[in-house]
Amino acid sequence: MDNRQFNLTTDPWIKVITVNDNQEQMVSLIDLFTHAQDYRQLAGDMRSQNLAILRLLLAILTTVYSRFDATGEAYSWLKTSGASPQDLEVDDDEFTKDDSTEDLLETWQQLNQAGHFTQSVIRYLEFFADRFDFFGARPFYQVTTADYDALVPKNKAIAAGKGKVAVKQLNRRISESNHTPAIFAPKTGAAKNDISLDELIRWIITYQNFTGVTDKTKIVTEESFSNAAGWLYRLNPVFAQGETLFTTLMLNLVLSDSRNDYACPKPVWEYATVSDYIAERKREILPDNLPEIYTAWSRILHIEWDENQRPTIFSAGIPMFSSDSAFIEPMTTWRFDKKTNAYRPAVKGLRSLGIAMWRNFGAYINVHRADDRQEPELVVWLRTLKEQNLLAHNHPLVLNSVALISDGNATSQAPAVEVGDDMQMQADVLFDSERRDYWPARIEEAIDFTQTVGDDYYHFAKDIAQIRNVDGRLFAGQMSAKFYERLNTPFKMWLEGLTSQDDRDEKIMAWKTQLKMLTVAAIDEELQASSPRDMRGVSGKTGPLNIFTAKSHLMYNLRLHLDL
């Protein structure tokens, strides 16, 4: 029997960067919430791991501050439902949507002004400390042998030795199955299965969020189901990045849902038993509260330890609720599916790797304020903070995106690449109150003509491909990707420099001028690399086609579409 002890509330396992000296430090949950203002950011093994842990931290904060205000008192519209101070439910005689929203926003404001979290979070973690014990009677984010065997088919019980997932597969920096070796991994050979305890905890949390579908073991249910990918793996994540870990947590602490009434928080560890949680999951009903979404399991995991303290991990799939129109989830962009007449998370794929966030600006901001465009609830929340004067007008808002993208194989969905991006704007720009010269609409206008110029450059690249007798789509696609890489930083800096006091036309013209310069520089770079064949050219559909006539066509389109 394993007699080790490790409690996530008091033992260090979360990697952070300190504000004072930019050094990496390992902290416990209580340390993190006590000193969040002293840490710059999470510093885990991958950005997607940081996002998974951020959501776990937000689940704790949302649970606490959905029950208790900044003074530690339970809200007046809640009533005790049990012996525990955490046993609270809505008092129908006292509850109103307006009152609850006002109280929750006031709590957020007081926390933000104080610059630190309150003792309510520490008391909560101390109360539920046994649920955060990694080796306890109910081990954190795991199930016991008895629970596992009771949920899976008899021939898949622990003693049968089936349904194992290797550490090297759990580790999303490797993601190696026993059949397909990961060649470009940070570890080699047997070392791929070596892992420290703090690292294992971080990867288990990450794996629950970013699970592929290679495993075949499933729990027993009356109706058959397919093993689903992890919830976060099925989103196009977006979150706000602050200057410190405290401000990052506060900006993402969505206490009031614009679409739904208040719902009592129910993170996975607050279910009385694992069986209760699995019974709820078998219903495949979308949770009505954020902590339950943030801590949703995709698998039941059981860990056996050998005499050398090495883990053997058993995994079994559980039913997952649908993501269609799951607007309770705040951290994703949406796309409308005409076939199902529902909104679905706009998941990134390998084909969209090179498309920066700013090019999909309209997916993050409802530019034209139309009802048929769903903004991420996180953006709605940030707008609420701005409208309630809880954010300064010139507060820099950084929208960040981190996506772990699968290989596109329906039978594996193994991680292929991780991409991250961001865009920064002042709150007054992002949530402009001007009606006649609305900044988001002008930004969308700038993006539209920028992408038109991008199309013009793509056609220039296809002309060059024709001259050189190479694959037009491949060559033009590569040149187009390089062109947008050239634009990404300047456009993001242009966005960052906008203010609500700006003359919109002047700022748009400034970007047009810079865009023309960047395009001409890209053309000249291609001209410098030209060969005699490029200059000699070929016979095109409308006459001679060489690098000079191709440039002439592009320059004509540039003048036409930029209207300088």
Side-chain angles (χ1 to χ4, degrees):
M1 182 175 178
D2 199 315
N3 295 317
R4 284 187 295 173
Q5 294 182 340
F6 193 100
N7 198 295
L8 279 70
T9 65
T10 53
D11 291 309
W13 62 278
I14 307 171
K15 288 184 176 181
V16 295
I17 299 293
T18 56
V19 169
N20 290 338
D21 54 12
N22 289 317
Q23 295 298 305
E24 184 180 288
Q25 189 173 329
M26 193 108 73
V27 298
S28 67
L29 282 170
I30 288 178
D31 285 338
L32 185 142
F33 287 120
T34 303
H35 303 287
Q37 63 277 8
D38 300 322
Y39 305 133
R40 190 172 305 283
Q41 62 188 54
L42 296 173
D45 306 284
M46 291 176 71
R47 287 173 293 184
S48 47
Q49 183 188 91
N50 290 337
L51 178 57
I53 292 174
L54 176 69
R55 287 166 65 93
L56 175 75
L57 301 176
L58 288 169
I60 296 168
L61 290 174
T62 308
T63 300
V64 171
Y65 293 117
S66 292
R67 292 171 176 163
F68 304 100
D69 63 20
T71 68
E73 295 295 320
Y75 296 112
S76 60
W77 31 268
L78 296 177
K79 62 182 180 181
T80 302
S81 61
S84 158
Q86 304 296 335
D87 293 332
L88 296 167
E89 62 182 27
V90 173
D91 186 339
D92 293 331
D93 294 332
E94 298 291 332
F95 177 83
T96 67
K97 171 75 171 174
D98 290 343
D99 285 347
S100 67
T101 299
E102 183 178 343
D103 288 347
L104 292 166
L105 285 171
E106 184 176 351
T107 295
W108 192 95
Q109 181 181 23
Q110 291 176 359
L111 290 173
N112 196 49
Q113 288 176 341
H116 60 81
F117 298 114
T118 62
Q119 283 298 308
S120 296
V121 183
I122 311 307
R123 286 195 292 269
Y124 177 84
L125 290 172
E126 290 172 344
F127 183 84
F128 282 106
D130 63 318
R131 306 290 173 88
F132 289 88
D133 187 342
F134 199 69
F135 297 99
R138 182 174 165 179
F140 177 79
Y141 265 46
Q142 305 157 61
V143 299
T144 62
T145 303
D147 282 332
Y148 190 92
D149 287 352
L151 289 166
V152 301
K154 290 183 179 180
N155 64 340
K156 297 292 182 72
I158 297 297
K162 297 180 180 180
K164 296 177 184 176
V165 56
V167 167
K168 62 184 179 182
Q169 188 170 347
L170 193 81
N171 184 334
R172 282 341 205 161
R173 295 179 67 196
I174 301 174
S175 296
E176 177 178 303
S177 69
N178 291 326
H179 307 291
T180 309
I183 300 171
F184 301 106
K187 296 181 179 180
T188 59
K192 290 179 178 178
N193 281 315
D194 291 342
I195 196 166
S196 62
L197 186 54
D198 60 277
E199 193 180 3
L200 177 63
I201 294 169
R202 294 193 301 272
W203 282 125
I204 281 180
I205 296 168
T206 307
Y207 189 73
Q208 289 284 21
N209 284 274
F210 292 102
T211 325
V213 294
T214 54
D215 43 350
K216 306 304 178 188
T217 302
K218 296 183 286 189
I219 66 169
V220 176
T221 56
E222 291 183 7
E223 297 183 10
S224 62
F225 70 96
S226 298
N227 272 345
W231 178 255
L232 195 47
Y233 208 8
R234 300 155 64 199
L235 308 180
N236 181 27
V238 55
F239 59 99
Q241 184 75 44
E243 294 181 351
T244 67
L245 184 54
F246 173 78
T247 54
T248 295
L249 287 165
M250 286 300 298
L251 288 171
N252 293 283
L253 182 56
V254 181
L255 291 179
S256 175
D257 189 328
S258 67
R259 300 179 177 94
N260 304 297
D261 283 337
Y262 173 92
C264 294
K266 191 79 169 179
V268 62
W269 52 79
E270 286 199 14
Y271 276 84
T273 64
V274 168
S275 297
D276 287 348
Y277 178 66
I278 298 304
E280 178 63 27
R281 288 297 299 276
K282 285 180 179 180
R283 298 171 64 206
E284 299 186 40
I285 295 176
L286 181 72
D288 62 0
N289 66 96
L290 280 183
E292 193 167 353
I293 284 275
Y294 286 158
T295 60
W297 289 359
S298 61
R299 303 290 184 270
I300 54 168
L301 299 176
H302 173 72
I303 303 178
E304 291 282 320
W305 299 87
D306 65 16
E307 63 277 6
N308 296 315
Q309 306 297 349
R310 290 177 181 163
T312 298
I313 304 165
F314 293 82
S315 170
I318 57 179
M320 178 66 80
F321 37 82
S322 170
S323 60
D324 286 4
S325 300
F327 299 129
I328 184 73
E329 169 56 62
M331 293 186 180
T332 189
T333 60
W334 301 92
R335 65 175 179 83
F336 186 71
D337 189 331
K338 293 181 180 179
K339 292 181 180 179
T340 61
N341 203 35
Y343 281 91
R344 290 184 170 178
V347 182
K348 262 186 174 293
L350 291 175
R351 292 185 177 181
S352 58
L353 281 182
I355 300 179
M357 280 182 74
W358 62 265
R359 291 172 63 186
N360 287 319
F361 182 78
Y364 300 94
I365 302 296
N366 189 346
V367 173
H368 303 293
R369 303 176 184 178
D371 293 335
D372 61 345
R373 296 297 298 272
Q374 288 291 346
E375 285 182 323
E377 180 63 25
L378 175 68
V379 173
V380 178
W381 165 250
L382 293 173
R383 179 183 284 108
T384 300
L385 295 180
K386 168 65 176 57
E387 290 174 347
Q388 295 295 320
N389 296 315
L390 302 183
L391 290 179
H393 71 276
N394 61 347
H395 189 291
L397 287 176
V398 181
L399 294 182
N400 212 319
S401 176
V402 172
L404 193 60
I405 299 175
S406 83
D407 58 9
N409 188 331
T411 60
S412 67
Q413 296 187 37
V417 64
E418 181 188 64
V419 294
D421 198 5
D422 63 73
M423 57 182 180
Q424 176 173 329
M425 281 161 283
Q426 289 188 9
D428 262 8
V429 172
L430 197 61
F431 306 123
D432 191 5
S433 58
E434 179 62 51
R435 292 184 179 276
R436 288 182 300 173
D437 217 2
Y438 182 53
W439 248 135
R442 299 305 304 272
I443 291 169
E444 186 85 332
E445 172 194 329
I447 292 168
D448 285 345
F449 69 66
T450 300
Q451 298 201 117
T452 298
V453 170
D455 291 341
D456 294 336
Y457 191 81
Y458 179 85
H459 292 301
F460 166 73
K462 287 201 77 172
D463 286 343
I464 301 301
Q466 184 180 344
I467 294 167
R468 296 177 182 174
N469 194 27
V470 296
D471 186 314
R473 287 185 62 184
L474 179 61
F475 181 80
Q478 291 172 341
M479 280 190 65
S480 179
K482 284 179 61 178
F483 179 69
Y484 275 111
E485 284 177 13
R486 187 186 290 266
L487 302 185
N488 283 343
T489 299
F491 190 85
K492 286 166 67 172
M493 291 179 66
W494 178 77
L495 277 181
E496 188 177 335
L498 301 179
T499 71
S500 58
Q501 288 79 38
D502 288 332
D503 182 300
R504 275 49 164 178
D505 290 335
E506 284 185 6
K507 283 292 185 179
I508 295 289
M509 184 58 67
W511 171 244
K512 282 185 175 182
T513 303
Q514 188 177 10
L515 176 58
K516 179 182 178 182
M517 291 172 58
L518 291 166
T519 308
V520 170
I523 299 168
D524 289 345
E525 189 175 286
E526 199 60 36
L527 283 171
Q528 289 173 9
S530 61
S531 67
R533 178 191 175 96
D534 295 337
M535 299 176 192
R536 186 170 61 251
V538 296
S539 178
K541 292 181 180 179
T542 58
L545 178 63
N546 57 46
I547 197 162
F548 302 111
T549 57
K551 175 186 177 180
S552 179
H553 294 157
L554 177 54
M555 292 305 296
Y556 170 79
N557 286 328
L558 202 58
R559 289 190 296 272
L560 179 68
H561 294 138
L562 291 183
D563 189 28
L564 288 171

